[in-house]
């Protein structure tokens, strides 16, 4: 496959590349650990991103979390980590502690974890249009970055969102991770025409298809798209070509729809090894740095794991507390009856 | 019958009213003098005025939907608002309901108070995913950090002989969804105050406008809302409580008028809020009359009448003289114009229901 990675945005500094390497290793380690946590019964389920680290870390890294706002799906752990979201609070969704995560989406600028595929793509457009309506100077306006898969791109909401955003010139970056699969359905049976990016042309907006396994290409393309949107030139579609290695979720059995051999040959080069090789060859990192990065990742995972172990179920009254800002009498009565009749008090 | 015919029929209806072209002018009509407390206007004008004042009061309010800008909406509820407040505050969107409601979520996240419109009730269906999965849950999902102060205006119910999907009764669907509130005004006064109230709340409200009442005039007390919460006794009586909302309130008042000729004093309770339902108001009325009939246009099975009946029997079982009766639409798709009168509870059907309850004897 040939990718047309954009080249306009400046290359990354050596410091940035080292930071990206650390992030990739951290996310890889946390992701594979989370699968193990599920097998050990610590969490009931998890949606791994094994193979998508460069697409996630690279795009999340390009975001300015003080200005921009990110709308994830259920698989954006790497984005969340790159944005600096508290990982224990993030993992609380996977521990079934709270839908959407315990982190504060208003503060972190990462919308709650979204289980409905394409559910939040339109929210990004609304949020972005709000930036236009804010009347702030262009450089102070945020850009909405919305994630969705190749499967999700079949949803009508994605098409409505692209059309709305293009008509309104809303500052949105549609970041599609084409990981080859929507559970068991391959892209060729999912995306007519084979390309999500190609659809942008129909909406009269910019698009780019990039090598989603090349973290540097992802950072540069995302920065360029964000700059474009922030400058008031309208939305952009990025289709990051990547590959979901392993299962779709911890309850998936990929052996039913592809072989390990397919996975090896279609998956291409591993995004983490790829950056390691490049940076080693360029003399930007050395073996000591590599070892140290892995140690740091392990320590971080250990502390997150402890945090997840310590996560207690939320007090039952919270089930009632967050339905409304102004709860109804009926709901208050249900909460009171629950308190009286349950042993949880 | 096309949407065009619908709109022009409504135009014809509008001609009978004295509402003038622009919001500016109609506001002058609305305020004949500073001292006047009440004024007569149509529900359309009342809603329009409520929106105008809401836009004025809260700069974060935005109105959008299909044809709400230049045209002022097919029912003219947003008439003149774009001229007055600009195309940033009142704007037309592409024709996509899921898009309109999904966009509302993002705008609410960005600190705005969206007042989206879906053009007709039947076109809320394409947006159900966003309404149920997103709007109703975002406050919960975000642990209260992302309130959804969205007021979705839905021209609702039948009675205007519209084509398919232009007359539906979706209240039970919406009321069943956690995280949503649902209200329906029955008169211009209620329309004005309930809309202004809804549009300033931090939670999502589905605002169901009875489109067959848009051009009916009534007294509006602009200064004194009265209570904007719970139900309202719109006619007191002692023999039986008729519970209704939206367009059915006017019909029930007619029925009560007729029954009074036979010496039967019927209390008409305008439920107003379909979520939360005013259980206390229901109990108070039925405790007095000891008999109740619920009237709604929506299909009978799993309709809101079942909820009302259950609330009444929970609270008034001992005092009830007869089971709660439901006079409703039927379990059929909302029929087209010619059959509408057979479907929507009419005066006779309501009177028969009242008779059955009054004559009920324990078996
Ligand atoms: C609206 C909706 N339909 C079905 C599902 C069940 N489901 C979860 S993930 C998925 C596949 C999504 O594929 P894609 O969008 O390519 O994202 P990926 O999981 O590959 O990252 C399906 C069908 C869902 N979550 N939401």
């Amino acid at each position: 496959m040939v990718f047309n990675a954009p080249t306009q945005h400046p290359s990354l500094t050596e410091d940035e590349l080292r930071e990206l390497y650390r992030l990739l290793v951290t996310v890889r380690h946390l992701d594979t650990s989370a699968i193990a946590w599920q097998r050990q019964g610590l969490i009931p389920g998890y949606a791994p991103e094994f193979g998508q680290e460069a697409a996630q870390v690279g795009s999340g890294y390009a975001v300015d979390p003080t200005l921009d706002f990110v709308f994830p799906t259920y698989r954006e752990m790497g984005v969340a980590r790159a944005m600096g979201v508290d990982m224990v609070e993030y993992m609380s969704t996977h521990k079934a502690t709270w839908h959407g995560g315990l982190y504060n989406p208003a503060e972190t600028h990462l919308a709650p974890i979204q289980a409905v595929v394409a559910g939040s793509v339109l929210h990004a457009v609304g949020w972005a249009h709000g930036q236009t309506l804010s009347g702030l100077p262009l450089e102070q306006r945020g850009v909405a970055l919305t994630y969705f898969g190749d499967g999700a791109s079949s949803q009508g909401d994605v098409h409505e969102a692209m059309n709305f955003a293009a008509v309104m010139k809303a500052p949105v970056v549609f970041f599609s991770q084409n990981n080859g699969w929507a559970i068991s359905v391959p892209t060729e049976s999912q995306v007519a025409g084979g390309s999500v990016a190609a659809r942008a042309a129909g909406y009269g907006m910019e698009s780019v298809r990039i090598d989603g396994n090349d973290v540097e290409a992802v950072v540069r393309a995302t920065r360029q798209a964000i700059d474009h949107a922030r400058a008031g030139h309208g939305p952009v579609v990025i289709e990051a070509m990547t590959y979901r290695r392993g299962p779709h979720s911890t309850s998936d059995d990929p052996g039913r729809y592809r072989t390990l051999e397919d996975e090896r040959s279609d998956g291409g080069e591993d995004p983490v090894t790829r950056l390691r090789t490049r940076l080693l060859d360029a003399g930007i990192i050395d073996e000591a740095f590599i070892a140290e990065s892995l140690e740091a990742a392990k320590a971080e995972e250990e502390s997150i794991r402890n945090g997840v172990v310590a996560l207690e179920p939320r007090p039952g009254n919270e089930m009632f507390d967050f339905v409304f800002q102004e709860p109804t009498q009926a709901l208050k009565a249900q909460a009171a009856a629950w308190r009286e009749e349950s042993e949880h008090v | 019958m096309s949407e065009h015919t619908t709109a022009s029929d409504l135009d014809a209806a509008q001609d009978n009213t004295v509402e003038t072209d622009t919001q500016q002018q109609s506001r002058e009509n609305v305020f004949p003098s500073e001292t006047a407390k009440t004024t007569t206007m149509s529900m359309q004008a009342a809603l329009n005025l409520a929106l105008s004042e809401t836009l004025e009061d809260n700069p974060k309010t935005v109105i959008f939907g299909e044809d709400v800008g230049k045209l002022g909406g097919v029912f003219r509820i947003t008439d003149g608002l774009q001229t007055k407040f600009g195309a940033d505050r009142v704007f037309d969107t592409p024709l996509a309901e899921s898009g309109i409601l999904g966009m509302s979520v993002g705008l609410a996240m960005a600190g705005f108070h969206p007042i989206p419109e879906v053009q007709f009730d039947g076109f809320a269906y394409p947006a159900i995913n966003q309404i149920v999965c997103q709007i109703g849950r975002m406050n919960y999902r975000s642990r209260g950090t992302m309130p959804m102060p969205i007021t979705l205006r839905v021209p609702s119910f039948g009675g205007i002989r519209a084509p398919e999907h232009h007359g539906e009764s979706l209240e039970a669907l919406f009321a069943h969804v956690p995280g949503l509130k649902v209200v329906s005004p029955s008169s211009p006064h209620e329309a004005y105050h309930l809309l202004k109230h809804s549009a300033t709340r931090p939670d999502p409200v589905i605002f169901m406008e009875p489109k067959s009442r848009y051009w009916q005039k009534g007294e509006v007390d602009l200064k004194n809302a009265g209570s904007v919460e719970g139900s309202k006794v719109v006619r007191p009586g002692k023999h039986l409580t008729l519970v209704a909302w939206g367009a059915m309130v006017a019909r029930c008042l007619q029925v009560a008028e007729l029954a009074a000729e036979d010496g039967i004093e019927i209390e008409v309770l305008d439920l107003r809020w379909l979520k939360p339902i005013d259980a206390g108001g229901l109990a108070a009325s039925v405790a007095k009359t000891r008999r109740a009939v619920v009237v709604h246009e929506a299909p009978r099975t799993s309709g809101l009448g079942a909820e009302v009946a259950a609330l009444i029997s929970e609270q008034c079982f001992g005092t009830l003289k007869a089971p709660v009766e439901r006079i409703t639409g039927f379990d059929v798709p909302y029929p087209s114009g010619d059959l509408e009168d057979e479907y929507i509870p009419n005066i006779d059907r309501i009177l028969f229901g009242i008779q059955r309850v009054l004559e009920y004897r324990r078996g």
Side-chain angles (χ1 to χ4, degrees):
Chain A
M1 274 185 277
V2 180
F3 306 104
N4 58 333
T7 50
Q8 280 149 272
H9 222 277
S11 311
L12 304 185
T13 65
E14 294 192 357
D15 275 348
E16 286 178 315
L17 289 168
R18 275 190 289 267
E19 196 181 344
L20 283 166
Y21 179 73
R22 269 201 218 96
L23 276 170
L24 285 185
V25 172
T26 304
V27 165
R28 165 69 54 91
H29 191 72
L30 184 54
D31 185 63
T32 41
S33 301
I35 300 173
W37 301 349
Q38 191 272 336
R39 304 295 185 234
Q40 296 156 8
L42 172 58
I43 56 176
Y46 179 71
E49 55 166 277
F50 192 49
Q52 299 182 220
E53 292 87 352
Q56 298 208 352
V57 165
S59 53
Y61 187 75
V63 164
D64 176 352
T66 62
L67 270 188
D68 305 326
F69 211 105
V70 171
F71 296 80
T73 73
Y74 43 80
R75 202 192 291 287
E76 266 68 72
M77 189 272 283
V79 180
R81 176 60 186 81
M83 287 175 71
V85 173
D86 183 296
M87 283 292 106
V88 175
E89 294 179 351
Y90 179 90
M91 287 293 177
S92 62
T93 279
H94 298 300
K95 201 180 177 188
T97 306
W98 195 263
H99 300 308
L102 291 172
Y103 61 91
N104 182 327
E107 272 170 18
T108 57
H109 281 212
L110 180 73
I113 293 170
Q114 174 70 248
V116 179
V117 309
S120 54
V121 181
L122 277 161
H123 308 171
V125 178
W127 188 89
H129 190 58
Q131 300 304 297
T132 309
L133 296 181
S134 72
L136 290 167
L138 286 176
E139 67 280 6
Q140 288 174 29
R141 290 187 197 168
V143 171
L145 186 65
T146 174
Y147 287 84
F148 56 102
D150 43 308
S153 81
S154 304
Q155 287 277 331
D157 275 3
V158 167
H159 298 267
E160 295 193 14
M162 286 186 178
N163 189 49
F164 270 56
V167 164
M168 299 186 307
K169 276 200 157 205
V172 182
V173 176
F174 294 94
F175 194 95
S176 176
Q177 287 170 87
N178 188 337
N179 67 5
W181 296 90
I183 308 188
S184 65
V185 180
T187 303
E188 60 267 27
S189 309
Q190 185 72 250
V191 183
S195 163
V196 178
R199 291 175 179 171
Y203 299 107
M205 69 174 124
E206 299 290 329
S207 73
V208 62
R209 199 180 216 210
I210 58 169
D211 181 347
N213 296 326
D214 174 352
V215 73
E216 189 174 4
V218 177
V219 174
R220 293 170 71 194
T222 313
R223 281 181 174 167
Q224 192 175 324
I226 289 175
D227 287 353
H228 175 95
R230 195 170 344 266
H233 302 313
V236 182
V237 178
I238 295 176
E239 183 176 22
M241 302 305 289
T242 176
Y243 194 85
R244 186 201 85 219
R245 293 148 197 264
H248 162 84
S249 74
T250 44
S251 35
D252 179 34
D253 172 12
R256 284 174 169 257
Y257 52 83
R258 70 182 185 211
T259 64
L260 269 180
E261 194 38 52
D262 293 338
E263 194 172 306
R264 260 190 294 273
S265 59
D266 296 347
E269 210 181 340
D270 179 277
V272 184
T273 4
R274 181 162 159 181
L275 185 68
R276 180 163 53 230
T277 312
R278 155 148 154 57
L279 298 189
L280 270 176
D281 288 352
I284 296 172
I285 60 173
D286 56 18
E287 292 298 340
F289 182 88
I290 293 168
E292 188 193 300
S293 303
L294 185 60
E295 282 318 304
K298 283 181 179 167
E300 182 173 328
E301 183 265 324
E302 180 70 19
S303 109
I304 295 167
R305 186 185 205 281
N306 292 339
V308 172
V309 170
L311 266 182
E312 297 284 333
R314 301 303 306 170
N317 63 286
E318 288 192 354
M319 174 167 71
F320 303 98
D321 285 353
F322 297 113
V323 180
F324 292 113
Q325 294 278 321
E326 297 179 327
T328 64
Q329 286 305 326
L331 196 56
K332 285 185 198 163
Q334 288 172 26
W338 166 83
R339 254 196 306 279
E340 233 164 71
E341 293 165 10
S342 70
E343 300 164 353
H344 302 267
V345 252
Chain B
M1 193 181 176
S2 72
E3 235 161 72
H4 275 289
T5 349
T6 313
S8 55
D9 285 356
L10 291 163
D11 284 344
Q14 193 179 21
D15 288 340
N16 298 329
T17 73
V18 293
E19 299 316 326
T20 44
D21 284 339
T22 69
Q23 177 59 22
Q24 197 58 49
Q25 286 167 305
S26 71
R27 282 202 76 176
E28 277 161 22
N29 287 346
V30 156
F31 297 110
S33 81
E34 280 303 323
T35 50
K37 270 184 67 182
T38 69
T39 177
T40 304
M41 66 173 103
S42 67
M43 187 182 281
Q44 176 268 345
L47 291 166
N48 182 266
L49 181 64
L51 290 175
S52 178
E53 292 179 358
T54 302
L55 285 164
E56 220 161 79
D57 294 346
N58 179 0
K60 285 293 188 184
T61 312
V62 279
I63 291 177
F64 49 91
E66 294 157 14
D67 307 295
V68 299
K70 273 209 179 96
L71 181 67
V74 294
F75 292 106
R76 308 290 182 271
I77 307 302
T78 54
D79 196 15
L81 298 180
Q82 189 179 68
T83 315
K84 192 166 170 197
F85 295 97
D88 271 2
R89 307 282 309 281
V90 181
F91 54 93
D92 291 320
T93 63
L95 207 169
E97 288 72 20
S98 193
I100 292 166
L101 274 303
M103 180 171 165
S104 304
V105 175
L107 279 164
M109 284 176 165
F112 287 84
H113 280 237
I115 312 185
E117 171 184 298
V118 296
Q119 204 157 65
F120 290 88
D121 32 31
F123 309 126
Y125 293 124
I128 288 291
N129 167 37
Q130 285 292 334
I131 296 171
V132 175
C133 296
Q134 307 299 335
I135 292 176
R137 290 165 182 249
M138 196 57 80
N139 191 72
Y140 199 71
R141 203 182 270 151
S142 70
R143 299 175 58 77
T145 62
M146 294 185 148
M148 291 284 111
I150 298 168
T151 301
L152 168 60
R153 292 186 34 253
V154 188
S156 293
F157 317 118
I160 62 163
R161 300 196 172 269
E164 191 179 13
H165 303 305
H166 294 66
E168 303 267 311
S169 209
L170 305 180
E171 61 270 42
L173 203 85
F174 291 134
H176 193 63
V177 177
L180 300 180
K181 295 177 182 175
V182 188
V183 68
S184 185
S186 60
S187 69
H189 178 85
E190 300 294 335
Y192 174 79
H193 290 291
L194 289 174
L195 183 53
K196 286 194 76 168
H197 176 73
S198 301
T200 50
R201 302 331 304 152
D203 290 311
V205 178
I206 312 292
F207 194 85
M208 301 181 69
E209 299 170 0
K211 59 175 95 81
S212 65
R213 308 293 301 169
Y214 274 149
W215 313 108
Q216 300 296 318
K217 292 189 161 194
E219 288 288 302
V220 180
D221 187 335
L222 294 166
K223 295 269 152 32
N224 300 305
S227 162
V228 285
E229 276 160 15
S231 60
K232 196 167 177 178
V233 174
V234 288
R235 179 187 170 112
K238 62 179 180 196
H239 294 131
L240 181 144
T241 300
L242 265 182
V243 185
W245 51 89
M248 286 297 100
V249 172
R251 183 151 296 173
C252 287
L253 284 170
Q254 281 178 292
V255 168
E257 196 72 36
L258 289 171
E261 292 170 13
D262 295 331
I264 302 162
E265 294 176 35
I266 287 180
E267 176 146 312
V268 180
L269 188 77
D270 178 357
L271 199 58
R272 300 200 300 180
W273 288 91
L274 311 177
K275 167 107 168 263
I277 289 186
D278 179 13
L282 280 173
S285 177
V286 179
K288 186 173 67 173
T289 63
R290 307 181 70 178
R291 295 181 176 91
V293 174
V294 201
V295 180
H296 66 63
E297 293 184 40
R300 182 181 183 85
T301 301
S302 301
L304 223 53
E307 181 68 33
V308 169
L311 283 169
I312 292 173
S313 57
E314 272 168 27
Q315 302 178 97
C316 308
F317 185 73
T319 49
L320 276 180
K321 288 200 168 161
V324 180
E325 177 89 25
R326 288 176 287 166
I327 310 298
T328 68
F330 305 107
D331 292 351
V332 303
Y334 219 104
S336 55
D338 277 358
L339 287 174
E340 214 175 41
D341 291 343
E342 311 298 326
Y343 172 88
I344 300 174
N346 57 25
I347 289 176
D348 285 345
R349 281 176 57 208
I350 300 171
L351 282 171
F352 273 120
I354 289 171
Q355 198 177 358
R356 283 196 293 275
V357 170
L358 289 173
E359 291 172 358
Y360 179 82
R361 297 284 174 270
R362 264 167 230 276

